[in-house]
Amino acid sequence: MGMKTLGRHLVVEMYGCRSDLLGDLSLARKSLNEAVEACKATFMGEHYTMFPGGGVSGVIIIAESHISIHTWPEHGYIAIDIFTCGEHIDPWKAYEVFVKNYSPSRVNVMEIRRGVVEV
Amino acid sequence: MGMKTLGRHLVVEMYGCRSDLLGDLSLARKSLNEAVEACKATFMGEHYTMFPGGGVSGVIIIAESHISIHTWPEHGYIAIDIFTCGEHIDPWKAYEVFVKNYSPSRVNVMEIRRGVVEV
């Protein structure tokens, strides 16, 4: 009996982003949808929220788990999670979309293996 | 100038759960909503999906980020993310709800500090 991993989860921290981009709900929505397309995931549903302080939150549920974004314009900071399962999905393709759209000056990414199970 | 952390993120792996519980969409919805209440977060929106294989996915966007669940009944495995910001929210209170509702035989939790910024 062997082991396999069901999913991969990129925990992405982006710093030094332009504040005006981080308050832009349509950019967040565009980025999430582009990210889903880039990694060839399957869109299932989405939800977005804008906050009084100017930050935005968004998540897309994909057939392969989820991709989410939360922004803090006052800190130039974005928290992104790219959680995908399945062997044909490359979460790093989704990651590249956010780098392109937000041009962070500093990034920290942790890749976590989710669901280590017996097969 | 000091540093502070904007959010706390619990990456939760639950193994050895009963398959019938993992295919129960209403239990997933109830658990997410109870979790939001338990940690005194503010509900902003939710989305759920049920898969042909029997798994369920759900996410609640909270004012303090998000809580999500993805289940794999065939492996008795659940992936839960509890990402909260703000000093008055304790993500571990939300965690306890999932343990109570799914009775995993084995759990692995990683707590990640999100958004380390200058203040």
Side-chain angles (χ1 to χ4, degrees), chain B residues 2-111:
Chain B
M3 305 298 283
K4 76 165 178 179
T5 300
L6 297 174
R8 304 165 69 184
H9 184 162
L10 305 187
V11 175
V12 182
E13 306 276 90
M14 292 190 172
Y15 296 96
C17 304
R18 272 172 45 201
S19 291
D20 59 323
L21 299 182
L22 301 200
D24 185 341
L25 186 62
S26 63
L27 178 61
R29 185 170 192 158
K30 174 175 170 282
S31 299
L32 282 179
N33 278 277
E34 274 184 19
V36 168
E37 194 171 340
C39 70
K40 298 185 167 55
T42 303
F43 177 98
M44 304 297 283
E46 60 190 338
H47 185 82
Y48 298 91
T49 299
M50 190 144 198
F51 295 98
V56 302
S57 282
V59 61
I60 292 187
I61 290 272
I62 50 180
E64 302 83 4
S65 295
H66 70 266
I67 303 180
S68 65
I69 184 169
H70 303 284
T71 74
W72 279 258
E74 70 274 31
H75 295 293
Y77 165 73
I78 316 177
I80 296 165
D81 288 85
I82 303 166
F83 180 7
T84 63
C85 61
E87 284 156 32
H88 303 295
I89 302 285
D90 180 359
W92 289 96
K93 297 284 187 194
Y95 165 77
E96 287 164 13
V97 168
F98 294 102
V99 172
K100 173 177 69 68
N101 289 358
Y102 289 102
S103 304
S105 64
R106 187 164 59 87
V107 174
N108 188 312
V109 186
M110 184 191 310
E111 177 167 347

Side-chain angles (χ1 to χ4, degrees), chain A residues 3-4 6-7 9 11-13 15 44-51 57-59 61-66 68-70 72 74-75 77-81 83 85 106 110 112-119, chain B residues 3-4 6-7 9 11-13 15 44-51 57-59 61-66 68-70 72 74-75 77-81 83 85 106 110 112-119:
Chain A
M3 304 297 285
K4 77 166 178 180
L6 298 173
H9 183 162
V11 175
V12 182
E13 307 276 272
Y15 296 96
M44 304 296 284
E46 61 190 338
H47 184 83
Y48 297 91
T49 299
M50 190 146 199
F51 295 99
S57 282
V59 61
I61 290 272
I62 51 179
E64 301 82 5
S65 294
H66 70 265
S68 66
I69 183 169
H70 303 283
W72 278 259
E74 70 274 31
H75 295 292
Y77 165 72
I78 316 178
I80 296 166
D81 288 86
F83 180 8
C85 62
R106 186 163 61 87
M110 184 190 311
I112 303 173
R113 300 272 159 173
R114 303 289 302 261
V116 180
V117 297
E118 291 177 345
V119 286
Chain B
M3 305 298 283
K4 76 165 178 179
L6 297 174
H9 184 162
V11 175
V12 182
E13 306 276 90
Y15 296 96
M44 304 297 283
E46 60 190 338
H47 185 82
Y48 298 91
T49 299
M50 190 144 198
F51 295 98
S57 282
V59 61
I61 290 272
I62 50 180
E64 302 83 4
S65 295
H66 70 266
S68 65
I69 184 169
H70 303 284
W72 279 258
E74 70 274 31
H75 295 293
Y77 165 73
I78 316 177
I80 296 165
D81 288 85
F83 180 7
C85 61
R106 187 164 59 87
M110 184 191 310
I112 304 172
R113 300 272 160 172
R114 304 290 301 261
V116 180
V117 298
E118 293 176 344
V119 287

Side-chain angles (χ1 to χ4, degrees), chain A residues 51-108:
Chain A
F51 295 99
V56 302
S57 282
V59 61
I60 293 187
I61 290 272
I62 51 179
E64 301 82 5
S65 294
H66 70 265
I67 304 180
S68 66
I69 183 169
H70 303 283
T71 74
W72 278 259
E74 70 274 31
H75 295 292
Y77 165 72
I78 316 178
I80 296 166
D81 288 86
I82 304 166
F83 180 8
T84 64
C85 62
E87 282 156 32
H88 304 294
I89 303 285
D90 180 359
W92 290 96
K93 298 284 187 194
Y95 165 77
E96 287 164 12
V97 169
F98 294 103
V99 172
K100 173 177 69 67
N101 289 359
Y102 289 102
S103 303
S105 63
R106 186 163 61 87
V107 174
N108 188 312

Side-chain angles (χ1 to χ4, degrees), chain A residues 16-27:
Chain A
C17 304
R18 272 172 46 201
S19 291
D20 58 323
L21 298 182
L22 300 201
D24 185 341
L25 186 62
S26 65
L27 178 61

